[in-house]
Amino acid sequence: MLSTVSRIQPVGYVMIALVLFSLWAAIRVLKRIGKGQRLGCVSVGYVWLIIFSIGSLAFGGTLLLYESLRNFTQGERIEATITDFTVREQTSSDDDGPMFVPIIRFTAPNGEVITREGNTGSGAEPIIGEIYVIYYDSERDSLSNFSFGSIALLTAGGVMTFFLSLILFGIVRYALGGNMAAFWSYFQNFLTLFFLPLAMIAFNALLICAMVFAGPHPRWVYALLGIFIFAMTLTIWGYLRMVGRKGAPKWKRTGNTLWVADWDDDTKA
């Protein structure tokens, strides 16, 4: 028994704690909603599953972000060469055609020549002999490739993890009997004054990186990227100008599950 417990990895302890936390939060949430009414096992199970899923995705996303960022910050910058590729059939019904995963060769800092699959694939067939940059952590035998696709996935993963963590924080606050009106007000201000401008700037930066560093592209791709960059720059400038003049936009409910944010016409500059 003790030997089995001693073999549990730290991630396992986190998952056990997450199971117990989700059960506690589900009971507390249902008690607050039901105002002292008797709880049903099915209701507790459903709410527990929702909270546990949110917590698991947030925890998993945090681990993936940590691993990727660790490769970029502590790994060696190396130029790898595509020597071959493998073809995998995609199981999603939304994706047509195969996915190509490049097989790369590079020289590790200790002089060892390594040939292995890259950590990302795409629908475009790789070009044999093409060179691209990777970051390789020899201690953990882990790599990340520096490309527009990988940076976009990292950014999207960070956004998803942030929102899941924020939802989890709101669940904890509600379970502890906190004032959700104040939480919702803070969340709205954070979303409109910080996160939304930062997301637009980050997206524009990704477009610029795709235009400058991810080439070469056909001329029509450069033209299309230039149009999007120009339009996004104007959008960012206009949004920040309105925030500077009128403050944060006001959130209004326009339907049962639909909210919009806009500035009041009578707000003085």
Side-chain angles (χ1 to χ4, degrees):
M1 178 69 177
L2 292 177
S3 61
T4 302
V5 174
S6 64
R7 289 197 297 268
I8 299 177
Q9 299 296 321
V11 174
Y13 288 113
V14 173
M15 296 306 295
I16 293 173
L18 186 58
V19 169
L20 298 176
F21 160 78
S22 301
L23 181 60
W24 167 83
I27 294 174
R28 294 282 300 183
V29 167
L30 288 173
K31 281 186 176 180
R32 184 172 179 181
I33 294 175
K35 298 180 180 179
Q37 295 181 5
R38 186 176 178 179
L39 301 180
C41 294
V42 176
S43 299
V44 173
Y46 278 136
V47 177
W48 171 85
L49 182 61
I50 293 172
I51 298 175
F52 179 74
S53 300
I54 294 173
S56 299
L57 290 174
F59 176 65
T62 302
L63 284 182
L64 291 176
L65 287 173
Y66 171 76
E67 291 293 326
S68 298
L69 291 175
R70 184 174 176 179
N71 287 341
F72 285 124
T73 56
Q74 299 185 11
E76 294 285 340
R77 185 181 184 276
I78 300 173
E79 290 187 348
T81 304
I82 299 178
T83 60
D84 201 351
F85 58 85
T86 58
V87 182
R88 298 177 183 174
E89 294 297 329
Q90 303 191 63
T91 57
S92 174
S93 59
D94 296 332
D95 297 319
D96 296 327
M99 180 177 68
F100 298 91
V101 180
I103 297 177
I104 60 175
R105 178 181 296 160
F106 60 93
T107 303
N110 60 1
E112 179 185 3
V113 178
I114 299 175
T115 301
R116 59 183 292 178
E117 283 190 345
N119 61 338
T120 57
S122 67
E125 183 175 323
I127 301 175
I128 305 299
E130 183 180 12
I131 297 176
Y132 66 97
V133 175
I134 64 169
Y135 288 82
Y136 178 68
D137 188 346
S138 57
E139 293 184 3
R140 299 179 299 121
D141 190 27
S142 177
L143 64 85
S144 295
N145 64 303
F146 185 78
S147 64
F148 174 74
S150 61
I151 299 300
L153 288 175
L154 188 64
T155 303
V159 172
M160 184 193 73
T161 302
F162 167 77
F163 273 109
L164 290 174
S165 301
L166 196 61
I167 292 172
L168 198 61
F169 174 79
I171 291 173
V172 173
R173 186 178 178 87
Y174 185 83
L176 294 175
N179 184 356
M180 298 308 294
F183 171 79
W184 178 237
S185 177
Y186 293 142
F187 173 73
Q188 290 175 334
N189 289 331
F190 178 83
L191 185 67
T192 55
L193 295 179
F194 177 78
F195 180 77
L196 185 57
L198 183 63
M200 290 192 294
I201 293 173
F203 180 72
N204 206 28
L206 286 175
L207 293 177
I208 295 174
C209 288
M211 186 176 186
V212 177
F213 301 109
H217 303 296
R219 291 183 178 179
W220 67 268
V221 174
Y222 284 110
L224 188 63
L225 287 172
I227 292 173
F228 277 114
I229 291 171
F230 178 72
M232 182 58 67
T233 302
L234 290 181
T235 302
I236 295 171
W237 176 80
Y239 183 85
L240 294 178
R241 184 170 178 268
M242 289 295 293
V243 169
R245 291 178 55 200
K246 298 186 176 183
K250 301 294 189 287
W251 288 82
K252 300 176 182 179
R253 189 170 186 173
T254 59
N256 292 332
T257 60
L258 182 61
W259 292 74
V260 296
D262 200 356
W263 289 272
D264 295 331
D265 294 335
D266 57 350
T267 303
K268 296 182 179 180

